[in-house]
Amino acid sequence: MNDAGRSAVFGELSEFRQDFYASLRRRADALFELSDAVLCTDGPVTSLVGLSLAAEHHRGHGALYDAVNNGVVEVDRLRRAVIGLPLPRDRDGRIVLTVDVSAWLRPDAGTAADRSFCHVYGRGRNAAQMIPGWAYSFVAALETGRSSWTAVLDVVRIGPLEDATTVTAVQVRDVIDRLREHGRWCDGDPRVLIVFDAGYDVTRLAWLLRDLPVDLVGRLRSDRVLYLPAPVPVPGQVGRPARHGGVLDLDEPAGHPDPAVATISETTRYGTAFADAWDRAHPRPARRSGWAEHVGQLPIIEGTAIRLRVDRLPGERHPKPVWLWASATGLTASEVDRIWQAYLRRFDVEHTFRLFKQTLGWTRPRLRDPQTADRWTWLIIAAHTQLRLARDLTTDLRRPWERPPAKPGRLTPARVRRGFRNIRPRLTQPAGAPKPTRPGPGRPPGSRNKHVRTHPPVGKTQHQNATTNHNKQQKV
């Protein structure tokens, strides 16, 4: 990068820091310095109070806790600042987003409110657990090629009484509206591609977002059953016309009809990839869960079922096929390949979650208030956004035992953070100098805390009680 390009990037990063500081409505100086301490401290963040010892944090540990507990972050303004930055696009100029949930586990926080049971994978087979914590839904823009970088655009905490599918639909709709507002997507641009992993009801999401310029792709369980389009009624046929056609049982490959599209691609990591697509495949929704309150006849949501098979997978001798469902129909061979390749890029967000938790210390603080956890989460997102903007400005401070990057300018977020302290003096510093003060007297010696915290229940207790009472009334 030449000097003009570096100056432009420095200006863009400084402008974002100004916008970030403007979004801090209370305890702004302490919160801003706390974010800089996350970026500049040596090694991973292991505790919240340890950040007060960083050279970039000019205040004491009391001011740090006061900022985290009593500060105010104008989230809407910070959202606009993040989404107003340049976004990565694929080779066709298309924005590819992914939505995934990461859990902040708080099993020992008995007085923390709004906890729900979060699904956590174990190391062994069938070792998954449900642990109390806060579930956060992230929306991030994906880059092309193998990368550990993503552009986190939004985060929402899913409450215990909220429907995850409804919350995700509202979150995606807000992100698309902000993309339009800032000119990141205009009429005539390629439709935004949104990728989901298993666990999302992608067909219901496609129905809830049917009025948006988006194409949804989600992974299906291998035991699902889909249906092909109903045959055209024969003249003179008696009876109600059929709504569903042939059966596509994903777990019974012998009974699969011929696919509409079949492609073969060569990959460096997985060997030969075979993709088969069935057009206008749709599930048969049942009037339960999210469809329980649907008015009228249940809709038929058609899409494209894609079966992906590869020669090899890391750690598996005989890899099983992966089933995907896309909300678009009438796909060509190149579009089918683009969809399953975009799904493989979805796993880049796992690197971002690992960076948040293991390096930036997202889940390290033992916070009790969920609103305080939301505030700290947005500070981590602001810090990660600054790393993304500074990825071409820092030099590689490689340890002797580490491998050099494969290509120039391909530093990982952790290595960019290692050199962020060196470029920080050239960036704008909107935070003011601390004012000298004395600590308060604290609690008088011998007195006890008479404010006893309540122990709220975990999970959908209120919703389950209401449903149980409703069922009892119906039986009576």
Side-chain angles (χ1 to χ4, degrees), residues 243-261:
R243 302 190 67 200
H244 310 284
V247 177
L248 182 62
D249 191 345
L250 306 187
D251 204 18
E252 297 292 338
H256 292 171
D258 295 334
V261 178

PDB file of all heavy atoms in Angstrom, residues 243-261:
ATOM      1  N   ARG A 243     -51.324 -30.717  -3.107  1.00  0.00           N
ATOM      2  CA  ARG A 243     -50.435 -29.602  -2.786  1.00  0.00           C
ATOM      3  C   ARG A 243     -48.972 -30.015  -2.842  1.00  0.00           C
ATOM      4  O   ARG A 243     -48.087 -29.170  -2.951  1.00  0.00           O
ATOM      5  CB  ARG A 243     -50.740 -29.047  -1.398  1.00  0.00           C
ATOM      6  CG  ARG A 243     -52.162 -28.559  -1.202  1.00  0.00           C
ATOM      7  CD  ARG A 243     -52.278 -27.819   0.115  1.00  0.00           C
ATOM      8  NE  ARG A 243     -51.522 -26.582   0.090  1.00  0.00           N
ATOM      9  CZ  ARG A 243     -51.127 -25.935   1.174  1.00  0.00           C
ATOM     10  NH1 ARG A 243     -51.383 -26.455   2.369  1.00  0.00           N
ATOM     11  NH2 ARG A 243     -50.449 -24.811   1.076  1.00  0.00           N
ATOM     12  N   HIS A 244     -48.683 -31.311  -2.734  1.00  0.00           N
ATOM     13  CA  HIS A 244     -47.312 -31.792  -2.709  1.00  0.00           C
ATOM     14  C   HIS A 244     -47.150 -32.897  -3.745  1.00  0.00           C
ATOM     15  O   HIS A 244     -48.098 -33.644  -4.046  1.00  0.00           O
ATOM     16  CB  HIS A 244     -46.945 -32.324  -1.320  1.00  0.00           C
ATOM     17  CG  HIS A 244     -47.272 -31.374  -0.201  1.00  0.00           C
ATOM     18  ND1 HIS A 244     -46.517 -30.266   0.083  1.00  0.00           N
ATOM     19  CD2 HIS A 244     -48.311 -31.363   0.684  1.00  0.00           C
ATOM     20  CE1 HIS A 244     -47.053 -29.619   1.113  1.00  0.00           C
ATOM     21  NE2 HIS A 244     -48.144 -30.262   1.482  1.00  0.00           N
ATOM     22  N   GLY A 245     -45.919 -32.987  -4.238  1.00  0.00           N
ATOM     23  CA  GLY A 245     -45.601 -34.010  -5.219  1.00  0.00           C
ATOM     24  C   GLY A 245     -44.816 -35.151  -4.608  1.00  0.00           C
ATOM     25  O   GLY A 245     -45.121 -35.645  -3.530  1.00  0.00           O
ATOM     26  N   GLY A 246     -43.768 -35.569  -5.324  1.00  0.00           N
ATOM     27  CA  GLY A 246     -42.956 -36.681  -4.870  1.00  0.00           C
ATOM     28  C   GLY A 246     -42.202 -36.369  -3.595  1.00  0.00           C
ATOM     29  O   GLY A 246     -41.950 -35.213  -3.251  1.00  0.00           O
ATOM     30  N   VAL A 247     -41.834 -37.428  -2.877  1.00  0.00           N
ATOM     31  CA  VAL A 247     -41.151 -37.303  -1.601  1.00  0.00           C
ATOM     32  C   VAL A 247     -39.648 -37.325  -1.826  1.00  0.00           C
ATOM     33  O   VAL A 247     -39.125 -38.135  -2.590  1.00  0.00           O
ATOM     34  CB  VAL A 247     -41.571 -38.438  -0.640  1.00  0.00           C
ATOM     35  CG1 VAL A 247     -40.808 -38.343   0.674  1.00  0.00           C
ATOM     36  CG2 VAL A 247     -43.071 -38.396  -0.405  1.00  0.00           C
ATOM     37  N   LEU A 248     -38.945 -36.416  -1.130  1.00  0.00           N
ATOM     38  CA  LEU A 248     -37.486 -36.374  -1.155  1.00  0.00           C
ATOM     39  C   LEU A 248     -37.006 -36.626   0.270  1.00  0.00           C
ATOM     40  O   LEU A 248     -36.821 -35.696   1.060  1.00  0.00           O
ATOM     41  CB  LEU A 248     -36.993 -35.025  -1.681  1.00  0.00           C
ATOM     42  CG  LEU A 248     -35.471 -34.849  -1.804  1.00  0.00           C
ATOM     43  CD1 LEU A 248     -34.877 -35.827  -2.788  1.00  0.00           C
ATOM     44  CD2 LEU A 248     -35.112 -33.421  -2.196  1.00  0.00           C
ATOM     45  N   ASP A 249     -36.826 -37.889   0.618  1.00  0.00           N
ATOM     46  CA  ASP A 249     -36.348 -38.274   1.944  1.00  0.00           C
ATOM     47  C   ASP A 249     -34.822 -38.148   1.945  1.00  0.00           C
ATOM     48  O   ASP A 249     -34.122 -38.896   1.240  1.00  0.00           O
ATOM     49  CB  ASP A 249     -36.773 -39.699   2.274  1.00  0.00           C
ATOM     50  CG  ASP A 249     -36.545 -40.048   3.732  1.00  0.00           C
ATOM     51  OD1 ASP A 249     -35.804 -39.296   4.410  1.00  0.00           O
ATOM     52  OD2 ASP A 249     -37.087 -41.060   4.202  1.00  0.00           O
ATOM     53  N   LEU A 250     -34.303 -37.217   2.727  1.00  0.00           N
ATOM     54  CA  LEU A 250     -32.870 -36.945   2.666  1.00  0.00           C
ATOM     55  C   LEU A 250     -32.034 -38.122   3.142  1.00  0.00           C
ATOM     56  O   LEU A 250     -30.874 -38.243   2.753  1.00  0.00           O
ATOM     57  CB  LEU A 250     -32.549 -35.705   3.516  1.00  0.00           C
ATOM     58  CG  LEU A 250     -33.348 -34.438   3.212  1.00  0.00           C
ATOM     59  CD1 LEU A 250     -32.798 -33.266   4.013  1.00  0.00           C
ATOM     60  CD2 LEU A 250     -33.352 -34.120   1.728  1.00  0.00           C
ATOM     61  N   ASP A 251     -32.595 -38.962   3.980  1.00  0.00           N
ATOM     62  CA  ASP A 251     -31.845 -40.084   4.542  1.00  0.00           C
ATOM     63  C   ASP A 251     -31.992 -41.366   3.725  1.00  0.00           C
ATOM     64  O   ASP A 251     -31.467 -42.408   4.119  1.00  0.00           O
ATOM     65  CB  ASP A 251     -32.313 -40.347   5.979  1.00  0.00           C
ATOM     66  CG  ASP A 251     -31.249 -41.040   6.808  1.00  0.00           C
ATOM     67  OD1 ASP A 251     -30.073 -40.999   6.404  1.00  0.00           O
ATOM     68  OD2 ASP A 251     -31.591 -41.633   7.851  1.00  0.00           O
ATOM     69  N   GLU A 252     -32.700 -41.294   2.611  1.00  0.00           N
ATOM     70  CA  GLU A 252     -32.893 -42.459   1.743  1.00  0.00           C
ATOM     71  C   GLU A 252     -32.429 -42.124   0.341  1.00  0.00           C
ATOM     72  O   GLU A 252     -33.218 -41.780  -0.536  1.00  0.00           O
ATOM     73  CB  GLU A 252     -34.370 -42.881   1.736  1.00  0.00           C
ATOM     74  CG  GLU A 252     -34.911 -43.334   3.075  1.00  0.00           C
ATOM     75  CD  GLU A 252     -34.273 -44.651   3.520  1.00  0.00           C
ATOM     76  OE1 GLU A 252     -33.759 -45.382   2.641  1.00  0.00           O
ATOM     77  OE2 GLU A 252     -34.284 -44.941   4.728  1.00  0.00           O
ATOM     78  N   PRO A 253     -31.118 -42.192   0.092  1.00  0.00           N
ATOM     79  CA  PRO A 253     -30.621 -41.795  -1.236  1.00  0.00           C
ATOM     80  C   PRO A 253     -31.102 -42.696  -2.362  1.00  0.00           C
ATOM     81  O   PRO A 253     -31.141 -42.262  -3.520  1.00  0.00           O
ATOM     82  CB  PRO A 253     -29.094 -41.878  -1.073  1.00  0.00           C
ATOM     83  CG  PRO A 253     -28.871 -42.825   0.057  1.00  0.00           C
ATOM     84  CD  PRO A 253     -30.032 -42.644   0.979  1.00  0.00           C
ATOM     85  N   ALA A 254     -31.493 -43.938  -2.070  1.00  0.00           N
ATOM     86  CA  ALA A 254     -31.931 -44.833  -3.141  1.00  0.00           C
ATOM     87  C   ALA A 254     -33.237 -44.369  -3.775  1.00  0.00           C
ATOM     88  O   ALA A 254     -33.490 -44.647  -4.956  1.00  0.00           O
ATOM     89  CB  ALA A 254     -32.088 -46.254  -2.595  1.00  0.00           C
ATOM     90  N   GLY A 255     -34.065 -43.676  -3.019  1.00  0.00           N
ATOM     91  CA  GLY A 255     -35.342 -43.229  -3.554  1.00  0.00           C
ATOM     92  C   GLY A 255     -35.346 -41.814  -4.083  1.00  0.00           C
ATOM     93  O   GLY A 255     -36.420 -41.286  -4.391  1.00  0.00           O
ATOM     94  N   HIS A 256     -34.196 -41.180  -4.217  1.00  0.00           N
ATOM     95  CA  HIS A 256     -34.156 -39.808  -4.701  1.00  0.00           C
ATOM     96  C   HIS A 256     -34.410 -39.758  -6.204  1.00  0.00           C
ATOM     97  O   HIS A 256     -33.827 -40.546  -6.958  1.00  0.00           O
ATOM     98  CB  HIS A 256     -32.794 -39.176  -4.405  1.00  0.00           C
ATOM     99  CG  HIS A 256     -32.543 -38.966  -2.943  1.00  0.00           C
ATOM    100  ND1 HIS A 256     -31.324 -38.574  -2.448  1.00  0.00           N
ATOM    101  CD2 HIS A 256     -33.369 -39.086  -1.865  1.00  0.00           C
ATOM    102  CE1 HIS A 256     -31.395 -38.479  -1.128  1.00  0.00           C
ATOM    103  NE2 HIS A 256     -32.628 -38.775  -0.764  1.00  0.00           N
ATOM    104  N   PRO A 257     -35.244 -38.847  -6.658  1.00  0.00           N
ATOM    105  CA  PRO A 257     -35.399 -38.671  -8.110  1.00  0.00           C
ATOM    106  C   PRO A 257     -34.167 -38.017  -8.707  1.00  0.00           C
ATOM    107  O   PRO A 257     -33.262 -37.571  -7.996  1.00  0.00           O
ATOM    108  CB  PRO A 257     -36.635 -37.773  -8.216  1.00  0.00           C
ATOM    109  CG  PRO A 257     -36.682 -37.034  -6.927  1.00  0.00           C
ATOM    110  CD  PRO A 257     -36.129 -37.963  -5.884  1.00  0.00           C
ATOM    111  N   ASP A 258     -34.126 -37.965 -10.010  1.00  0.00           N
ATOM    112  CA  ASP A 258     -32.979 -37.351 -10.681  1.00  0.00           C
ATOM    113  C   ASP A 258     -32.918 -35.861 -10.362  1.00  0.00           C
ATOM    114  O   ASP A 258     -33.942 -35.163 -10.421  1.00  0.00           O
ATOM    115  CB  ASP A 258     -33.075 -37.548 -12.192  1.00  0.00           C
ATOM    116  CG  ASP A 258     -32.975 -39.024 -12.583  1.00  0.00           C
ATOM    117  OD1 ASP A 258     -32.362 -39.787 -11.805  1.00  0.00           O
ATOM    118  OD2 ASP A 258     -33.526 -39.398 -13.638  1.00  0.00           O
ATOM    119  N   PRO A 259     -31.735 -35.339 -10.022  1.00  0.00           N
ATOM    120  CA  PRO A 259     -31.633 -33.907  -9.702  1.00  0.00           C
ATOM    121  C   PRO A 259     -31.792 -33.044 -10.941  1.00  0.00           C
ATOM    122  O   PRO A 259     -31.522 -33.475 -12.074  1.00  0.00           O
ATOM    123  CB  PRO A 259     -30.230 -33.786  -9.094  1.00  0.00           C
ATOM    124  CG  PRO A 259     -29.460 -34.907  -9.697  1.00  0.00           C
ATOM    125  CD  PRO A 259     -30.429 -36.022  -9.894  1.00  0.00           C
ATOM    126  N   ALA A 260     -32.215 -31.805 -10.715  1.00  0.00           N
ATOM    127  CA  ALA A 260     -32.352 -30.861 -11.816  1.00  0.00           C
ATOM    128  C   ALA A 260     -31.007 -30.322 -12.262  1.00  0.00           C
ATOM    129  O   ALA A 260     -30.805 -30.024 -13.444  1.00  0.00           O
ATOM    130  CB  ALA A 260     -33.277 -29.710 -11.411  1.00  0.00           C
ATOM    131  N   VAL A 261     -30.055 -30.189 -11.321  1.00  0.00           N
ATOM    132  CA  VAL A 261     -28.716 -29.664 -11.619  1.00  0.00           C
ATOM    133  C   VAL A 261     -27.713 -30.537 -10.880  1.00  0.00           C
ATOM    134  O   VAL A 261     -27.931 -30.909  -9.717  1.00  0.00           O
ATOM    135  CB  VAL A 261     -28.574 -28.190 -11.180  1.00  0.00           C
ATOM    136  CG1 VAL A 261     -27.163 -27.682 -11.445  1.00  0.00           C
ATOM    137  CG2 VAL A 261     -29.599 -27.315 -11.882  1.00  0.00           C
TER     138      VAL A 261
END
